[in-house]
Amino acid sequence: METATLSAQLAAIVGAHHVHAADRLADRDTGFHPENFDAGLAVYPATTGQVAQVVALCARHRIPIVTHGGLTGLSGGAASQTGNVILGLRRMDALLELDPLAGTVVVEAGAILETVERAANEHGLSIGIDLGARGTATIGGMIATNAGGMEAFRNGSMRSRLLGIEAVTPNGAVLNDLTEVPKCNEGYDLKHLFCGAEGTLGIVTRAVLRLTPATAPTTTLLIAVDSAASALTITRACASAPAIDLLQTEIMWRNYATTVAAEIGLSHVLNFCDAPAYLLIELSATDPDAALDTLFTDPAVEAVTLNAVIAKNEKERAEIWRIREESFIVDNTVPHCQWYDISVPLSRIDGTITAIDSRLNALDPTLGIWVMGHLGDGNLHYTIGNGKPQSPERQTAEKRASLAKHSDPEKLRLMRAIKAAFDPDGIMNPGKVL
Ligand SMILES: Cc1cc2nc3c(=O)[nH]c(=O)nc-3n(C[C@H](O)[C@H](O)[C@H](O)COP(=O)(O)OP(=O)(O)OC[C@H]3O[C@@H](n4cnc5c(N)ncnc54)[C@H](O)[C@@H]3O)c2cc1C
C-alpha cells in the first residue's frame, strides 16, 4: 500500500495529528538505538480500540508493526525499518485504578514507571521494581522486556509483578486477561508469554500489577571489596540479620566506578579505598547503629571488608547512587559503546568476569570493559567499546544468533510454534527474538 494511502487510513482511526510521517520523526530523539524511527511512519493511538483497529488494518495488508514504549530498551527491540509502522503507546499512559487494600494497580501500557511508583507511594506502597530509566520506561515496555532492576532480587522481575494483562493480538483482536488475583488457573497462563516477548506476540495495552509495602532506606553504605564472592558474603549477612531489611545490593567493578565517578566529578567518593570492586548496600533498620554494629562485628563480614563508608546525609547518598546510575556517561570517555545485560549464577560471577575479560582481551586488546550490576540476582550490565562505531544491527543479530546457538532445541521449536500461533504472518516486530 502507498504510504500516503496508509497514512490516510491510519489518520481515519487516530486523527491526522497522531500520525507522524518521516519529516516529523526526523527530529525525534531516537532513544538508545539509532534505527528506532527508521520506519518513517508512526501512529499514536489513544485507546485499546484504536490499537486494535490499527493492528487489524496492518494485518489486512501484512504491514509489520514495531511497538514503541519509552525507547529506553538497550537491545534494539524497538528498531524499525522502511515499510514498518511504529505504534507508540505514549498517549495511553493513564493510571486507571489503584486499590490500596488489595495492593494492586491497573494501568495503561504507556504509563511511566516513576509515575506509577509515585502514585503507589502515596498509599505507603511501591510497585516493587526500579530501574535507572524510571523516568522514561513504560510499563508495557517493561513487560515486553521482562525488566529486572535493583529490586528484582527481593520482588522478582516484571513477570512477578504482573497479575493481569490486556493485549491486542496480531490479528487485531483484544485479549482481555485483566485478572487481579495471584491465583488464576484458567488453563495456560498467556500473560507470561508477553513478558520478554519484545512485542513479537502482540501489543500490551493494559496491565494489572501487584504492589508491595514501600520501605524507606535508613542506611546507605559503600563497601570496598576484592571480589563478588566477598560482596555476596556481606549481602548474605545483611539478608540473614533479623534486625536488617536489605533493600538494595548493587556491585560496581573498579573500572566502571572510577570512570563514572571521574566523569561526573565525584572521584572523592571513592577515595576511602582503591578496591577491585565496590558494593552498594541500602538497608532499613529500626536501630540503624545497632544494625551496623551487628553487621561489621560479624567475623565473616570483617574478613572480606576492605573498607566502608556510610552516607551521612541525603547528599552523600545521592552521590553514591549517581556513580551507580550514570552508567551511560562511559560513552563520554569512549564513544560508540555497546551495552549488554547478562545474568550469571551468583557463585559463578567472579569466574565469569575473569573469563569474559580474557576472551575480550584476546579478541581485541583495545576494548574497554566497564561492569556493574544487581548483585542480588546476578544480573550484570556490561559496557564494552573502543571508540569505534559498531553496526547498529550487530547487537540484535548477535542476540538472535546466540538464542539459536545456546537454547535447547525443543525450547526453540516450542517458541517458534508459539510465534506462529500468535502471529502466522509474522507482522509483529519481525526479526526480533527468534
Ligand atoms: C539508565 C537505564 C537503566 C536501565 N536499567 C535496567 C535494569 O536495571 N534492568 C532492566 O531490565 N532493564 C534496564 N534498562 C533497560 C530498559 O529500561 C528496559 O528494557 C525497559 O523495560 C524498556 O521500557 P521502554 O518503555 O523504554 O520500552 P522500549 O525501549 O520502547 O521497547 C522495548 C521493547 O519492548 C517492546 N514494547 C514496548 N512497549 C510495548 C508494549 N506496550 N507492548 C508490546 N511490546 C512493547 C518494543 O517493541 C521493544 O521490543 C535500563 C535502561 C536505561 C536507559
Side-chain angles (χ1 to χ4, degrees):
M1 189 192 292
E2 288 286 318
T3 307
T5 315
L6 177 60
S7 297
Q9 295 195 12
L10 291 170
I13 299 169
V14 299
H17 189 63
H18 303 296
V19 179
H20 294 189
D23 53 341
R24 261 184 101 174
L25 297 174
D27 297 338
R28 288 279 307 269
D29 175 358
T30 60
F32 284 87
H33 198 283
E35 294 175 353
N36 279 346
F37 287 107
D38 276 13
L41 182 62
V43 56
Y44 297 97
T47 63
T48 301
Q50 289 184 359
V51 175
Q53 285 183 63
V54 169
V55 174
L57 169 66
C58 291
R60 273 199 302 281
H61 300 282
R62 300 204 173 172
I63 298 167
I65 300 170
V66 180
T67 308
H68 277 191
L71 300 182
T72 67
L74 305 172
S75 310
S80 64
Q81 51 186 278
T82 308
N84 298 171
V85 167
I86 293 165
L87 191 151
L89 273 297
R90 65 185 192 186
R91 293 173 71 209
M92 294 176 59
D93 63 352
L95 192 154
L96 300 168
E97 190 189 339
L98 193 153
D99 183 339
L101 263 191
T104 56
V105 63
V106 187
V107 296
E108 287 186 314
I112 304 289
L113 169 61
E114 192 170 60
T115 311
V116 183
E117 176 65 7
R118 284 207 183 123
N121 289 167
E122 284 174 22
H123 301 273
L125 295 166
S126 165
I127 190 170
I129 195 159
D130 191 25
L131 321 163
R134 62 184 73 81
T136 316
T138 64
I139 298 301
M142 291 173 64
I143 293 169
T145 57
N146 188 27
M150 266 90 82
E151 296 179 30
F153 81 102
R154 277 164 69 81
N155 302 320
S157 62
M158 200 59 186
R159 186 187 301 286
S160 315
R161 315 311 302 153
L162 189 65
L163 289 174
I165 209 167
E166 178 193 84
V168 173
T169 57
N171 60 1
V174 178
L175 167 70
N176 186 331
D177 194 14
L178 283 170
T179 44
E180 296 183 22
V181 289
K183 183 174 178 187
C184 178
N185 291 348
E186 288 175 358
Y188 303 132
D189 201 346
L190 295 179
K191 65 178 177 290
H192 285 302
L193 289 176
F194 290 87
C195 293
E198 297 195 18
T200 57
L201 299 181
I203 299 168
V204 180
T205 46
R206 290 184 181 196
V208 186
L209 305 172
R210 71 172 89 216
L211 301 172
T212 188
T215 313
T218 55
T219 312
T220 304
L221 297 160
L222 194 59
I223 307 176
V225 288
D226 65 353
S227 62
S230 296
L232 278 167
T233 301
I234 300 169
T235 297
R236 284 276 165 267
C238 287
S240 51
I244 293 177
D245 189 3
L246 178 63
L247 303 178
Q248 307 275 357
T249 171
E250 297 284 303
I251 187 162
M252 305 176 272
W253 274 264
R254 180 197 274 122
N255 194 33
Y256 170 85
T258 54
T259 304
V260 173
E263 200 55 35
I264 58 180
L266 293 178
S267 294
H268 61 273
V269 174
L270 304 177
N271 281 348
F272 72 102
C273 189
D274 176 23
Y278 297 89
L279 171 67
L280 194 174
I281 288 265
E282 203 148 67
L283 52 90
S284 169
T286 33
D287 185 343
D289 291 339
L292 287 178
D293 275 354
T294 314
L295 184 65
F296 287 112
T297 51
D298 177 335
V301 172
E302 261 191 305
V304 296
T305 300
L306 301 179
N307 206 343
V309 284
I310 302 165
K312 289 190 292 300
N313 48 44
E314 190 50 40
K315 176 175 167 281
E316 289 186 3
R317 173 177 182 255
E319 286 181 348
I320 293 174
W321 272 109
R322 280 189 63 201
I323 298 174
R324 163 59 188 85
E325 294 209 315
E326 298 209 14
S327 51
F328 295 97
I329 209 92
V330 169
D331 225 48
N332 285 9
T333 53
V334 180
H336 311 298
C337 281
Q338 302 257 327
W339 293 283
Y340 296 87
D341 187 314
I342 62 168
S343 288
V344 181
L346 297 185
S347 57
R348 287 189 234 150
I349 294 179
D350 286 317
T352 305
I353 296 261
T354 311
I356 293 178
D357 272 3
S358 74
R359 285 179 72 170
L360 284 176
N361 194 37
L363 195 69
D364 181 349
T366 67
L367 283 172
I369 307 168
W370 297 265
V371 193
M372 50 83 179
H374 314 299
L375 183 67
D377 57 3
N379 180 202
L380 305 181
H381 298 319
Y382 261 81
T383 304
I384 299 170
N386 55 6
K388 293 185 195 148
Q390 309 284 338
S391 128
E393 306 89 39
R394 209 185 100 188
Q395 215 176 6
T396 317
E398 274 174 3
K399 251 187 102 179
R400 287 177 66 201
S402 76
L403 183 78
K405 188 172 164 196
H406 299 296
S407 281
D408 173 68
E410 181 62 0
K411 186 171 165 183
L412 276 174
R413 185 188 70 78
L414 290 170
M415 280 195 211
R416 290 189 182 118
I418 288 167
K419 171 70 176 171
F422 270 75
D423 185 17
D425 293 325
I427 65 160
M428 282 291 164
N429 213 357
K432 311 291 169 53
V433 182
L434 285 173

